[in-house]
Structures are given as C-alpha cells and as structure tokens.
Amino acid sequence: MKIAIGNDHAAVEMKQEIRTYLEEKGYEVINFGTDTHESCNYPEYGEAVGRAVAEGKADCGVLICGTGTCDREILVCGTGIGMAMPANKVPGVLAAVCSEPTTARLAKEHNNANIIAFGARIVGMEAAKSIVDAYLGAEFLGGRHQTRVDMIYAIEKK
C-alpha cells in the first residue's frame, strides 16, 4: 500500500517519525511535505496529497499540521483542519480530521475517508501512531454508509 504524507514546517519531526513508523510496518510512503523548518504554505501540501490520492498515485494519505498562532488566546491552527481543507477541494478526496483513534477508525468505516489529518500540536507522537493504526486497520463498511458517501461525491458534480 502506498501512503502519501504531507506536513508543514512545524510538523517535520512528527512526519519523519510517522514516516519511519509506517515504513517499518511495510508501507510505501511518498513524501509530499516539507523537510525544513522554513515557513511554508501548508495548503500546498494538503492539495499535493489530495491530488496524489485522487489520481491513484497513493492509496490514502496522512496530513500533519503543526503551525499555530494565537489570536485572543485561541489556537487557530495546528489542528490538521488547515491541511484537510485544501485536500477536500480536490475532487475525489474525503479528508477527515482525527484527534483520536476512534474518529480515525470511524472516518474509514462510515465515511470511506481516503485521507486523515491531525495536528502535531494537538496530539502527541504515540497518539498520532494510534490514530494512523486505527485508520489503516479499518475497512469501509459499505451498505447504508455507501449511500451517504455517494451523496457526498454527488455534490462535486453539481
């Protein structure tokens, strides 16, 4: 299985560890993220992973966002949301933000998410590994869930 991985400049270390973790499990990992701490524009990486998955260059994707700034004492980024949004603009992508393993499992089982995203400033390393394991260990259940996934994809055609 090929997994596309993307990250911003504040999630380099987590991306590297998750990449190694996945490769040790036998997955092929395609790196679309940055490997430097120089400020970058995370939407570019979200889109790149989205396109790789949508075009069949990867079977699924993992996005890790670590940037964050505080505005009125509220963390406005670093959640994975900013990476998932551009990925979801790519037709054929269903990216889900997952901050714990149950959400990751259900994102696959019920929504057939083909990309997961999480924030390096929200989850720790062991939690990130658990999220990835839960997602990759799950299978889409189909049935009534397929009807709803089809409805989501139909929105792209309107």
Side-chain angles (χ1 to χ4, degrees), residues 34-51:
T34 185
D35 290 315
T36 73
H37 294 285
E38 291 180 38
S39 183
C40 66
N41 296 315
Y42 60 83
E44 295 172 0
Y45 301 111
E47 179 185 5
V49 169
R51 292 204 182 282

Side-chain angles (χ1 to χ4, degrees), residues 3-156:
I3 301 172
I5 195 166
N7 63 287
D8 66 6
H9 57 277
V12 172
E13 287 81 9
M14 183 174 277
K15 184 271 301 274
Q16 290 170 340
E17 190 160 337
I18 294 295
R19 180 181 184 176
T20 300
Y21 180 73
L22 291 169
E23 289 172 341
E24 288 172 353
K25 288 178 167 276
Y27 295 104
E28 180 181 341
V29 180
I30 308 166
N31 181 17
F32 288 93
T34 185
D35 290 315
T36 73
H37 294 285
E38 291 180 38
S39 183
C40 66
N41 296 315
Y42 60 83
E44 295 172 0
Y45 301 111
E47 179 185 5
V49 169
R51 292 204 182 282
V53 171
E55 294 169 4
K57 295 175 183 171
D59 299 298
C60 62
V62 174
L63 293 168
I64 310 168
C65 185
T67 58
T69 58
C70 288
D71 179 23
R72 298 182 188 177
E73 300 178 4
I74 298 172
L75 189 64
V76 297
C77 194
T79 60
I81 295 168
M83 295 283 274
M85 287 178 168
N88 275 320
K89 294 291 186 181
V90 177
V93 168
L94 293 174
V97 178
C98 305
S99 296
E100 40 71 40
T102 301
T103 303
R105 178 179 56 81
L106 291 172
K108 183 61 174 181
E109 289 179 351
H110 291 196
N111 307 111
N112 205 19
N114 49 17
I115 296 176
I116 58 168
F118 49 85
R121 293 190 177 160
I122 300 296
V123 302
M125 188 59 69
E126 293 310 309
K129 290 175 182 177
S130 294
I131 290 166
V132 170
D133 285 341
Y135 172 73
L136 293 174
E139 291 187 31
F140 180 52
L141 297 176
R144 64 188 168 103
H145 304 294
Q146 184 64 60
T147 301
R148 295 167 186 145
V149 170
D150 290 343
M151 292 172 72
I152 294 169
Y153 282 128
I155 294 169
E156 294 176 352

